[in-house]
Amino acid sequence: MPEAIRKVNVIGHLNPDTDSICSAIAYAYLKNKVEHTTIYEARRAGSVNRETAFALKHFGFSEPSLITTVTPQIKDTEVQKQDGIDAETSLFEAWNVMRETKTDTLPITDGDDNLLGLIATKDIANANLDIFDIEVLGNSKTKLSNIVSTLNGEMVLGDPEARIESGSLRVGTTPEMMEDTIKAGDLVLVTNRYETQQFAVGAKASCIVVCCGASVSNQVKESAEANGCAIIATPYDTYAAARLICMSTPVRAKMISEKSTIKFSINTAVDDAKKTIASSRHRFFPVIDEDSKFVGLVSTPSLLTAKKKHVILVDHNEKSQAVEGLEQAEIMEIIDHHRIGSIETEAPALFRNMPVGCTSTIIYQMFKENGLEIPKDIAGLMLSAIMSDTLAFRSPTCTSMDVNAGEALAKICGEDIPTYSDAMFEAGADLTGRTADEVFHQDFKVFSRGNVKFGVGQGSFMTENSRKAAEKLVGPYLAEAAAEEELPMVFYMFTDVKTSTTELLYFGEGAEDVIKRAWGAEVKDGMAVLPGVVSRKKQMVPPLMATFQKIQEEQD
């Protein structure tokens, strides 16, 4: 048998920046070219900022699909493919389907695969044992065709699609015994006795079932036609027919309706499903897709064997920056250029971490190592990532490898680096119609050192006007952002690309003292001006980490 195709999500960090998105797309492309037994799909772990959106549009890409968690979902379990049955299917036929398919639950669907309900063996058993419900066929508007198929019979007279509209189920013995029991509209089981058949017809029965394979005379047929009485013949004796006939009831009359059914979306987390079914006595539960169409059944045991999602992380290796549920996923690879963080893996994984300015620089090297030609559009995305992370080669994190990769990629995609990078940065700095929350989270990361946890955001600006406008918008929002992120301190870098200067705003008790100790900078009006500081990775986070460690040591 051919090897099963596996799917791997290539994901950047939360609050993705241009490198996070573009590197995910580029690396997924590379992996799909190198391997053919796996599908690699780029995903985003948050909203795309305007700088990234500019790059994607410029080179003809759509945003990657959003992924918010990598915890196992119902679609990662063994969903049993089970065809739905029609609502008019008889209980008897449903029972036979269960025996043939060796299942104890059947879904009832309409012609468009919408779930109408479920029928289980216990529902059929309960209906079969309810021997005193003699009005079930009328109350459920049972089709005559259901009775014919259930009793292995023949439609002697009448329309098979007609329904039992009312009345009770009766057994005809003798006219004397039937006189006080048979009412108009009843369904009557009779034998071969002419007078019994004729009496039932004359009493305005809606249908007579002639048992034991007995014949029906022309006189009875004529009388039945005149009285609007249908005739069904069955080879079964009266006892068997009486036992079976209630099983011709349509499943819709005994099913658990869709509104009362515990059902799951294919995207429901397995952990959530386990909690939901903990108190349920059912074994199988219907599964619906994104369009609310029925796709199959999931059993309680299958939830215990859900497959882990396979992921590749790019541009991060810290748990605080990763999508939810990473501890329940299988990490296949990590491609990053940041400090080694807190992520742990259960099994060995390829971990490529290099001291360069951008993840796309590493991916460029991997293209060369695999002898793969880089398409023009992919080259454009990788160039965008390098320009963004190195601030167009101005950042101290920029290495000769970044410069060489950026220049080579620019030749492939046909872009002039200064012209393109200026346009990209200007697009990212545009505040038109944006909220403080959107600007704050366009490039924000959470870090931790010991018991200290803090967040650092950054925006890069080509003009003083755009930088000051962003400061005016985001500054008052920092307190709210800290509360929402549950962080004691947040810092935000407003970086002027051309002058290589950062104006640092902050919030949190002790944050001002931390800034003074980390850089010896003067803090005025809630802002510290840090000349030459443009890199969060190399010039912002390390001094903060060192300062927090010193403070902890002093407190100890």
Side-chain angles (χ1 to χ4, degrees), residues 4 42 56 102 108 135 138 144 210 239 318 339 352-353 368 371 391 409 436 456 466:
L56 292 173
K102 296 181 180 180
I108 293 93
E135 296 179 349
L144 296 181
V210 182
Y239 173 78
E318 296 201 46
R339 74 184 186 105
R352 184 153 180 172
N353 186 283
K368 292 178 64 178
L391 297 179
L409 292 166
V456 181
S466 62

Side-chain angles (χ1 to χ4, degrees), residues 2 76 91 254 268 437 528:
D76 300 313
L91 295 176
K254 299 296 180 180
T268 300
D437 178 78

Side-chain angles (χ1 to χ4, degrees), residues 276-295:
T276 301
I277 67 175
S279 58
S280 175
R281 295 182 179 180
H282 295 284
R283 292 180 57 228
F284 291 92
F285 304 89
V287 179
I288 57 176
D289 62 17
E290 289 94 342
D291 299 320
S292 298
K293 303 297 184 183
F294 173 77
V295 294

Side-chain angles (χ1 to χ4, degrees), residues 91 95 98 104 118-134 136 243 246-247 249 253-256 281-282:
L91 295 176
W95 173 263
M98 290 176 178
D104 63 5
L118 287 181
I119 190 80
T121 51
K122 68 175 184 177
D123 301 315
I124 298 177
N126 288 336
N128 191 40
L129 292 172
D130 194 2
I131 60 176
F132 296 108
D133 187 4
I134 60 176
V136 62
R243 285 290 306 273
C246 289
M247 290 297 96
T249 303
K254 299 296 180 180
M255 70 181 183
I256 304 171
R281 295 182 179 180
H282 295 284

Side-chain angles (χ1 to χ4, degrees), residues 131-254:
I131 60 176
F132 296 108
D133 187 4
I134 60 176
E135 296 179 349
V136 62
L137 299 182
N139 290 339
S140 61
K141 303 294 186 287
T142 302
K143 285 184 177 183
L144 296 181
S145 58
N146 277 20
I147 299 174
V148 172
S149 62
T150 300
L151 298 182
N152 192 25
E154 174 189 358
M155 196 80 220
V156 177
L157 180 68
D159 180 7
E161 295 302 306
R163 299 176 184 270
I164 303 295
E165 299 290 346
S166 61
S168 302
L169 175 62
R170 302 292 184 181
V171 176
T173 53
T174 65
E176 293 79 15
M177 295 293 293
M178 297 164 62
E179 187 171 2
D180 295 328
T181 58
I182 306 299
K183 304 289 191 256
D186 285 349
L187 186 150
V188 185
L189 301 178
V190 297
T191 57
N192 61 345
R193 295 183 63 181
Y194 168 82
E195 61 271 21
T196 302
Q197 298 174 6
Q198 192 66 269
F199 185 90
V201 171
K204 303 295 184 181
S206 62
C207 177
I208 64 171
V209 177
V210 182
C211 302
C212 302
S215 60
V216 183
S217 67
N218 289 332
Q219 292 92 329
V220 172
K221 292 179 185 177
E222 291 172 2
S223 178
E225 187 171 12
N227 283 279
C229 177
I231 300 177
I232 295 173
T234 175
Y236 300 148
D237 60 32
T238 309
Y239 173 78
R243 285 290 306 273
L244 276 175
I245 195 167
C246 289
M247 290 297 96
S248 60
T249 303
V251 290
R252 58 175 166 75
K254 299 296 180 180

Side-chain angles (χ1 to χ4, degrees), residues 338-392:
H338 297 94
R339 74 184 186 105
I340 298 176
S342 57
I343 286 178
E344 297 180 357
T345 63
E346 290 187 359
L350 172 66
F351 186 11
R352 184 153 180 172
N353 186 283
M354 297 177 66
V356 294
C358 179
T359 307
S360 276
T361 299
I362 303 173
I363 296 173
Y364 171 76
Q365 297 300 320
M366 297 175 80
F367 268 99
K368 292 178 64 178
E369 291 164 5
N370 283 278
L372 290 176
E373 181 178 346
I374 305 176
K376 180 178 179 179
D377 53 356
I378 294 292
L381 291 187
M382 294 170 68
L383 172 66
S384 302
I386 294 172
M387 292 299 98
S388 177
D389 263 21
T390 66
L391 297 179

